[in-house]
């Protein structure tokens, strides 16, 4: 087995390589002056099981995924397992309005043509995994237990999800720490505005952590911490799988939180824990 690291997730690829005890393939990946990708594999990977690590966000990373996976097959790889730390377009997981693109399905259709197995992480909606219809193995890994391990000694009294739909995340994290969990009540008004209903929670004087799959604009977490502070919380931390931080999300949140952390599915200054261990566990069981 060999790790083929695309350019989107160097740290995660390195972590996977260490945990699996498998070398990364030496590659030459750069851009021509017109920004088109130049990709060359500098080693013989014929008959190898290739674990390709590359997100499909933003768009240029998606194209790199497709070029790398096809290259691995063209060079005679025995199998290609696509590890997609952040699967772009996962939020377009259905047709909301007539005439819209079902983007998650289309992207899954492109990916599945090139891989034998697909490994996603905290897909916005778990059912998106079913869109990979023609693969041997597929999995939607959750990093919520990893968040629990990370927070075990952080003095967290309670774990919260922003809404009821995400309460399973809060439970996963809370169970590892050994504390209570609950959910806030979020209503999305539009793409960048949310409201948090004044649900009474037993948070007075407590240190709480809000967990979510994605932090994008930061609007959800911002409103959540406001609602919690109104109820006398002592500290508010936030942890997510994917720190997208669109439109100044970090700058918006850092001043109002006591801690802000994300995994390495999207590398940023808040990446504090790695998705590598649960990904490696699945690969060990299914690919080796
Ligand atoms: C929504 O369902 C997701 O789980 C996140 O809560 C959402 O994507 C966060 O977005 P934002 O940071 O823009 O509020």
């Amino acid at each position: 087995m060999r790790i083929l690291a695309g350019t989107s997730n160097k740290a995660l690829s390195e972590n996977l390589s260490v945990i699996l005890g498998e070398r990364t393939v030496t590659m030459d990946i750069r851009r021509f002056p017109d920004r088109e990708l130049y990709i060359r594999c500098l080693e013989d990977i014929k008959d190898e099981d290739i674990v390709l690590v590359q997100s499909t966000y933003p768009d240029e990373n998606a194209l790199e995924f497709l070029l790398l996976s096809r290259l691995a097959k063209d060079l005679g790889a025995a199998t290609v397992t696509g590890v997609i730390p952040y699967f772009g377009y996962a939020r377009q997981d259905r047709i909301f309005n007539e005439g819209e693109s079902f983007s998650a399905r289309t992207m899954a259709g492109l990916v599945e043509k090139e891989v034998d197995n697909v490994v996603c992480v905290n897909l916005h909606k778990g059912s998106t995994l079913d869109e990979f219809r023609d693969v041997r193995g597929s999995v939607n890994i959750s990093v919520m237990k990893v968040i629990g391990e990370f927070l075990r000694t952080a003095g967290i009294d309670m774990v919260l999800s922003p809404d009821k739909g995400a309460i399973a995340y809060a439970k996963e994290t809370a169970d590892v720490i050994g504390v209570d969990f609950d959910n806030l009540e979020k209503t999305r008004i539009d793409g960048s505005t949310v409201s948090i209903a004044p649900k009474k929670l037993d948070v007075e004087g407590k240190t709480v952590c809000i967990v979510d799959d994605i932090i994008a604009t930061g609007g959800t977490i911002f409103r959540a911490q406001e609602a919690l502070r109104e109820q006398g919380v002592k500290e508010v931390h936030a942890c997510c799988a994917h720190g997208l931080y669109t439109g100044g999300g970090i700058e918006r949140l850092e001043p109002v939180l006591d801690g802000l952390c994300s995994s390495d599915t999207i590398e940023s200054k808040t990446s504090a824990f790695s998705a590598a261990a649960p990904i490696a566990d699945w690969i060990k069981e299914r690919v080796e």
Side-chain angles (χ1 to χ4, degrees):
M1 183 191 298
R2 302 293 298 279
I3 313 295
L4 203 174
T7 58
S8 68
N9 290 84
K10 294 280 188 202
L12 176 51
S13 303
E14 192 49 46
N15 278 333
L16 261 184
S17 164
V18 170
I19 295 172
L20 290 169
E22 304 287 354
R23 281 197 309 119
T24 53
V25 180
T26 309
M27 300 291 296
D28 183 3
I29 305 177
R30 45 200 162 91
R31 289 193 178 269
F32 289 111
D34 64 0
R35 301 290 302 149
E36 283 186 358
L37 271 169
Y38 171 83
I39 297 180
R40 184 179 179 200
C41 179
L42 300 172
E43 291 183 52
D44 180 10
I45 58 167
K46 192 167 180 319
D47 299 329
E48 290 281 0
D49 289 313
I50 293 295
V51 175
L52 164 62
V53 184
Q54 173 72 4
S55 286
T56 59
Y57 170 90
D59 291 356
E60 59 186 27
N61 281 338
L63 193 59
E64 186 179 327
F65 181 96
L66 296 174
L67 294 176
L68 285 169
S69 49
R70 176 63 63 90
L71 176 63
K73 277 289 166 77
D74 287 348
L75 294 176
T79 61
V80 177
T81 297
V83 175
I84 307 177
Y86 181 67
F87 181 58
Y89 294 96
R91 289 187 289 178
Q92 304 281 340
D93 54 20
R94 65 187 169 95
I95 296 170
F96 297 88
N97 297 295
E98 196 185 333
E100 281 179 354
S101 162
F102 191 162
S103 309
R105 175 171 288 174
T106 303
M107 291 303 292
L110 290 170
V111 165
E112 71 176 355
K113 285 195 181 73
E114 310 299 338
V115 299
D116 300 279
N117 303 299
V118 67
V119 178
C120 296
V121 181
N122 288 106
L123 283 166
H124 186 57
K125 200 199 243 170
S127 59
T128 298
L129 198 66
D130 301 336
E131 302 299 340
F132 298 95
R133 291 159 208 272
D134 197 22
V135 288
R136 218 177 288 170
S138 61
V139 65
N140 180 25
I141 301 280
S142 174
V143 299
M144 294 301 149
K145 289 194 174 73
V146 178
I147 294 177
E149 296 290 347
F150 174 74
L151 293 175
R152 217 195 269 271
T153 55
I156 302 294
D157 299 310
M158 188 179 215
V159 180
L160 295 170
S161 62
D163 54 37
K164 207 168 180 115
I167 194 151
Y169 291 154
K171 178 173 175 10
E172 267 185 83
T173 301
D175 284 353
V176 173
I177 311 174
V179 294
D180 286 340
F181 63 95
D182 206 333
N183 65 277
L184 292 148
E185 278 167 11
K186 169 174 108 172
T187 308
R188 181 160 288 285
I189 294 158
D190 60 40
S192 56
T193 322
V194 296
S195 72
I196 301 280
K199 175 180 170 182
K200 182 81 189 115
L201 290 163
D202 179 23
V203 292
E204 194 173 343
K206 289 188 177 167
T207 294
V208 307
C209 182
I210 310 163
V211 293
D212 209 351
D213 57 341
I214 301 171
I215 298 178
T217 64
T220 299
I221 300 295
F222 189 90
R223 293 276 167 250
Q225 65 80 31
E226 270 184 340
L228 292 167
R229 300 225 186 262
E230 276 162 22
Q231 297 187 42
V233 76
K234 183 175 159 215
E235 284 183 23
V236 184
H237 299 249
C239 288
C240 66
H242 313 298
L244 261 182
Y245 303 127
T246 48
I250 293 187
E251 293 70 23
R252 189 176 190 192
L253 291 178
E254 273 187 338
V256 297
L257 292 175
D258 298 284
L260 174 63
C261 295
S262 60
S263 86
D264 53 1
T265 59
I266 298 174
E267 287 169 21
S268 78
K269 69 172 185 171
T270 70
S271 297
F273 43 87
S274 181
I279 294 173
D281 285 346
W282 191 88
I283 289 172
K284 273 188 225 156
E285 201 177 300
R286 299 296 296 265
V287 182
E288 277 184 339

